Each structure stands twice: as structure tokens, then as C-alpha cells.
Amino acid sequence: MSVVSGAPFKGSTVAVRMTGISKRFGAVAANADVDLCVRAATVHGIVGENGAGKSTLLSVLYGFYQADSGAIEVFGHPATIRNADDAIAQGIGMVHQHFMLVDTLTALENVMLGAEPHWLLQRADRQVRAKLETLMQATGLHVKLDSLVADLPVGDRQRLEILKTLYRGAKILILDEPTAVLTPQETEQLFEVLRLLRKQGTTVLLITHKLKEVMRLCDHVTVMRAGRVVDELPIAQASIESLAEAMVGRKVHIGRVEADAKTAGPVLLQAKGVIVKDAMHVVRLAGLNLALRAGEIVGVAGVSGNGQSELLDVLSGLLQPTEGHLNLGGRDFDATHWLDPQTARELGLAHVPEDRHARAMVMDFPAWESAALGYDGLPEYSTLGWLAQDHMRQATADMMERFDVRPRDVELVSSKFSGGNQQKLVLARELGQAPKVLLVGQPTRGVDIGAIEFIYSQLRAMRDAGCAVLVVSSELDEILALSDRVIVMNQGRVTGELAVGDCTESGLGMLMVGEGE
């Protein structure tokens, strides 16, 4: 593919032109002399591996960062963007991957917050409501304005974020991983809205790692690698395979790999009638039953917040249920005497948590300490209560080599590794003890396509070695690529269980919202 970065679009208005943008963080060049040209009233995809510089580039456009060098033009005019207020004044809005909403305020109040048109709140309320109702009618972004954000479904929160930017006059809309927490149906609804906005003249810049969505939605795509633009082309000239290869510099495969036909082995973990209630007595798991067999990957699909996190916590011993029974490694547990994490490890259960920062690593620890968390009591890691630090460092170096963790620096602070390399280090730690049962939450969240390919291969290898693997993921493509059997959760219940060959995205999507059980 030829590099045409920054090339003008003949016969069309350019909404954004960024020229020679460079941005360093210490010794790291996040952007190195980057050119970007985005045509008005189009959807323009920005793709690349973790650390490729795409988020940094658009953070410069939105005023979160100041470029060390380079220039920005918005609709043909030079623009100085020092902060988000400057960006909004230029007609640029941004919807973040993690929504910037106040749960205890209504949808209307969230839009008004910081942008009240009048000091009398009643008058401001009427003015904002009238403008929003006009916007909702024009764009199809319908939201219940008087509902608390905490009570809104995820898809409605996404629409509300977009409404916020349009209310503030955005003509250029930056979306960062907008479909990460949406069902297939919600994703399609979002795409219809974005197509309508494009038709109405809005320019959309889309950061995403989902290349299938880039091919479906975008008009043009820019590929970044190691802080530079390596390709920029019309979507009609691109393919998923070519974009993936441009992103990582080699051919990759992350689709489904058919396993050798074989019958799953014996049940290694069985949970029956598990009920979990939170501190407010809200039911999070409602009588859940689950069996994990040797030599099988079971995928758990569902919109985030429907009991998947509680399922992982209960099975790993981090959470005691209100009711229920569990058998692991031939031992029985009930709600009064539940499994604990140390016993789980002793019985051959390993756990890769959903939130690697909060649950899997201590971000201020060097890599060799994070690589030993939970296993520091192993004989090879301690002698008479004293940590065998040299051995732990060597073991971490071996893990880094085996799992291609970069950089291979055992003393580097955990927070300094990219998300993909943090995840590989956690996987190396948990898989290194050859567990019989492996629980994995969001295995590739925030991970680039090259690391995704590697992680998938490791999970399949565990299955083929006879491990029972449970994968919780909000990515349907991931569930379908990895699983032999799929269960779907909604509001703490299993709404469906299917062999992967019987699954379709639309069918799973219906089960994810509690329909078609």
C-alpha cells in the first residue's frame, strides 16, 4: 500500500488538516511528524496498535495535549487549540471511551452542566430542553431527558454523549472506541445515527480496533504505527487483512480457528444455584448454574454489568455468594464456607481479572513483583519467609521471553508497559502454573491486534492441553473466535447456551438484551 498521508482531497472541503505534528513524552515519541487530512462530511477511521499514537494525535486536536511542533487547520483556517474549550469553540467535540457523565444527574442536567444558557435555571432548562428536542428529532438520538443517567441503558448514554457535543455546536466529532460496550443492535443503531450525521454535514473521526466496523462505516482510513502514519487510503481500496498487516507490519489472523473434533473431558468446575446480592440487596446473580469441562473454552457473552464480573469473582473466591454450591478439584463449597483465592490456586484455578490495573497488578511495582503476585509463597520464590528476589527476576525474564513482553525489562515499573504488554505479563504469570481451570475476564480489552493474535493462541493452547477455560468478553467477535460453547447473560441470569456453530451475532444480541430466551 502506498503512503499518501496528508494528501489533499480534490473537489471537497477539508475539515481538519494536521501538519508535521510531533509529540514526545520523555524519551518516547508518541507522534513523529504526522500529517492528517480529513475531508468534511465523512467518517474517517484512525487505526493502529497500542502505542501507535492515534489517541495522542486526536488528543492534540481536542486540546488535551499540546504538540511539540506542527500546525492545525480547521475548515481551512489556522487553529490554536490549547484546551478543550478552544476545541469546542472550533466546532470540535469528543466522546470518550469511558463516558464523561454524572450518574446522579438527569440526562438534561448533564447536557446543561457547564453550558447553561441563562443564570435562571428554570429558563435555562426550557431553552436547553427545546434545543435538545429539536436535535433529537433531527438526528434520531432519542434519550429520556428527565431520567437519571444511572438509570439509562448503555446505548442511551452513548447517544447522550453525542447529543452533548452537538448541543455545543460540534461539526467535527471524535469518537474513541464508541462500540466497546454496545450490543450488536445498539452498534447498528449508532451507525445509522453516524450515517445520518454525515449526511447532514458532520465530520466523524473514529478511533477503533474493530476493523470490521471500519470497513462498514468509514469513507477513509489512516493507519498509524510507532507514532507515524504508514498508510492513508479510501476504504474502497482497503480490506481487513491489508489494514491488519499495515498496523503490525506482518500478516495476522484473529478469526476462529477450528479445533480438532473431540468430546470435551470431565467436569472440572461446577457451580449450582449461585445467588449474589450486593450491599443494596440487588440480585447480581440469580440462581446461576455452570459446568466447565476439560479441553473446552466456554465464552460468556453479555452487555457489561449483567453479572459477568460477579460470576468471575464468585468462581475465583473473591466474592462469597448469598446462596449456592461449588465443586472444584473434587472439593465441595457452599455459601457458608466458600472458596478463597489461595485455596483456588492450590486446587489449580488461575484467574486473569477484567481490570488488570485494579485487580491483576500493582502499578507502582516493578515487573518482577507484579509477575509474582499471588504466587510469592511458591517454594521457588521464597526461603524461610524470605523472597528469593534473584530467582523471581529470572523467572520474570523467562516469562517475558516466552510471552513476548516488551520491553524485556524486569525492573520497569508496571505502569510503564503498554496495555497489551501488561496483559501478556499477567497471562504469563497465571498460565505459567499450568492451571486445570482458567478464568479470563476481557482478555483483549484495550489490546492491539498483534497482541490479540498472541493471546488467542495461548488460550487455545491451554484448552488443547486439557484446561477448562472460561472467557468473559463484551466483544462478540472475540466470543465467536475463541469459544466452543457460549452462554449469554442478562440481569444475572443465563438467557441462552449454544454450541458456537449455532451462534449468530443477531441471535446472541437478542439474548444479551433478554429477548428470545
Side-chain angles (χ1 to χ4, degrees), residues 380-392:
E380 59 266 34
Y381 282 174
S382 63
T383 304
L384 298 176
W386 292 91
L387 293 180
Q389 295 188 13
D390 289 343
H391 187 92
M392 294 167 78

Side-chain angles (χ1 to χ4, degrees), residues 9 39-45 194 198 202 204 213-221 233-237:
F9 299 98
R39 182 172 54 185
T42 64
V43 179
H44 192 114
L194 295 179
R198 173 179 60 189
T202 300
V204 179
E213 295 181 359
V214 171
M215 297 300 299
R216 286 175 55 203
L217 183 64
C218 295
D219 304 292
H220 212 83
V221 60
L233 68 164
I235 207 67
Q237 297 176 16

Side-chain angles (χ1 to χ4, degrees), residues 102-142:
V102 181
D103 284 353
T104 54
L105 297 181
T106 67
L108 179 68
E109 290 165 344
N110 267 272
V111 174
M112 287 174 57
L113 193 62
E116 298 86 349
H118 198 276
W119 66 273
L120 284 174
L121 288 182
Q122 284 186 328
R123 182 179 295 182
D125 184 300
R126 289 195 299 271
Q127 292 179 9
V128 175
R129 187 182 299 272
K131 184 173 180 179
L132 285 175
E133 287 174 348
T134 300
L135 272 174
M136 289 191 292
Q137 189 65 33
T139 63
L141 288 163
H142 295 289

Side-chain angles (χ1 to χ4, degrees), residues 330-388:
R331 286 186 56 180
D332 290 318
F333 303 88
D334 62 27
T336 58
H337 297 89
W338 198 251
L339 179 73
D340 62 80
Q342 183 60 42
T343 302
R345 281 190 285 272
E346 292 170 358
L347 294 174
L349 183 145
H351 177 208
V352 178
E354 293 179 289
D355 187 340
R356 55 181 169 265
H357 291 177
R359 290 285 189 88
M361 313 180 88
V362 177
M363 302 310 290
D364 292 334
F365 276 9
W368 68 268
E369 289 192 81
S370 280
L373 285 176
Y375 296 98
D376 48 282
L378 292 173
E380 59 266 34
Y381 282 174
S382 63
T383 304
L384 298 176
W386 292 91
L387 293 180

Side-chain angles (χ1 to χ4, degrees), residues 474-485:
S474 57
E475 304 285 351
L476 271 188
D477 284 349
E478 185 158 89
I479 292 293
L480 294 173
L482 283 172
S483 304
D484 302 297
R485 178 162 53 97

Side-chain angles (χ1 to χ4, degrees), residues 191-231:
F191 284 4
E192 288 302 317
V193 168
L194 295 179
R195 292 182 183 109
L196 179 59
L197 291 176
R198 173 179 60 189
K199 186 176 180 180
Q200 294 172 348
T202 300
T203 304
V204 179
L205 285 81
L206 179 70
I207 302 173
T208 183
H209 68 274
K210 299 180 180 180
L211 298 183
K212 184 190 298 186
E213 295 181 359
V214 171
M215 297 300 299
R216 286 175 55 203
L217 183 64
C218 295
D219 304 292
H220 212 83
V221 60
T222 294
V223 185
M224 298 187 68
R225 188 169 72 237
R228 299 179 182 276
V229 171
V230 296
D231 213 340

Side-chain angles (χ1 to χ4, degrees), residues 142-394:
H142 295 289
V143 177
K144 295 179 180 178
L145 296 179
D146 294 316
S147 293
L148 292 177
V149 164
D151 297 331
L152 292 176
V154 174
D156 284 3
R157 298 185 196 193
Q158 178 80 266
R159 287 188 281 274
L160 179 60
E161 284 279 28
I162 297 174
L163 275 173
K164 272 176 56 181
T165 66
L166 298 178
Y167 172 80
R168 287 163 169 76
K171 296 297 181 185
I172 299 167
L173 182 62
I174 302 169
L175 299 176
D176 187 1
E177 300 287 357
T179 65
V181 294
L182 301 184
T183 66
Q185 287 82 358
E186 288 171 330
T187 295
E188 189 53 46
Q189 290 168 6
L190 174 64
F191 284 4
E192 288 302 317
V193 168
L194 295 179
R195 292 182 183 109
L196 179 59
L197 291 176
R198 173 179 60 189
K199 186 176 180 180
Q200 294 172 348
T202 300
T203 304
V204 179
L205 285 81
L206 179 70
I207 302 173
T208 183
H209 68 274
K210 299 180 180 180
L211 298 183
K212 184 190 298 186
E213 295 181 359
V214 171
M215 297 300 299
R216 286 175 55 203
L217 183 64
C218 295
D219 304 292
H220 212 83
V221 60
T222 294
V223 185
M224 298 187 68
R225 188 169 72 237
R228 299 179 182 276
V229 171
V230 296
D231 213 340
E232 187 174 306
L233 68 164
I235 207 67
Q237 297 176 16
S239 66
I240 290 176
E241 295 74 18
S242 65
L243 291 176
E245 185 174 351
M247 286 167 59
V248 301
R250 59 177 175 80
K251 291 184 179 296
V252 295
H253 177 79
I254 60 170
R256 177 159 181 80
V257 174
E258 295 298 330
D260 295 335
K262 60 181 180 181
T263 304
V267 173
L268 299 182
L269 178 151
Q270 186 156 32
K272 292 183 177 180
V274 176
I275 297 174
V276 170
K277 296 180 182 179
D278 64 17
M280 302 298 292
H281 303 289
V282 176
V283 175
R284 297 301 181 184
L285 290 179
L288 186 135
N289 299 314
L290 174 69
L292 302 181
R293 296 179 175 275
E296 181 184 41
I297 297 177
V298 176
V300 181
V303 177
S304 294
N306 278 274
Q308 304 96 311
S309 298
E310 289 80 3
L311 174 63
L312 287 172
D313 286 353
V314 161
L315 297 183
S316 62
L318 291 171
L319 178 64
Q320 181 176 338
T322 308
E323 297 180 30
H325 298 270
L326 175 71
N327 182 280
L328 173 65
R331 286 186 56 180
D332 290 318
F333 303 88
D334 62 27
T336 58
H337 297 89
W338 198 251
L339 179 73
D340 62 80
Q342 183 60 42
T343 302
R345 281 190 285 272
E346 292 170 358
L347 294 174
L349 183 145
H351 177 208
V352 178
E354 293 179 289
D355 187 340
R356 55 181 169 265
H357 291 177
R359 290 285 189 88
M361 313 180 88
V362 177
M363 302 310 290
D364 292 334
F365 276 9
W368 68 268
E369 289 192 81
S370 280
L373 285 176
Y375 296 98
D376 48 282
L378 292 173
E380 59 266 34
Y381 282 174
S382 63
T383 304
L384 298 176
W386 292 91
L387 293 180
Q389 295 188 13
D390 289 343
H391 187 92
M392 294 167 78
R393 287 183 172 90
Q394 184 57 53

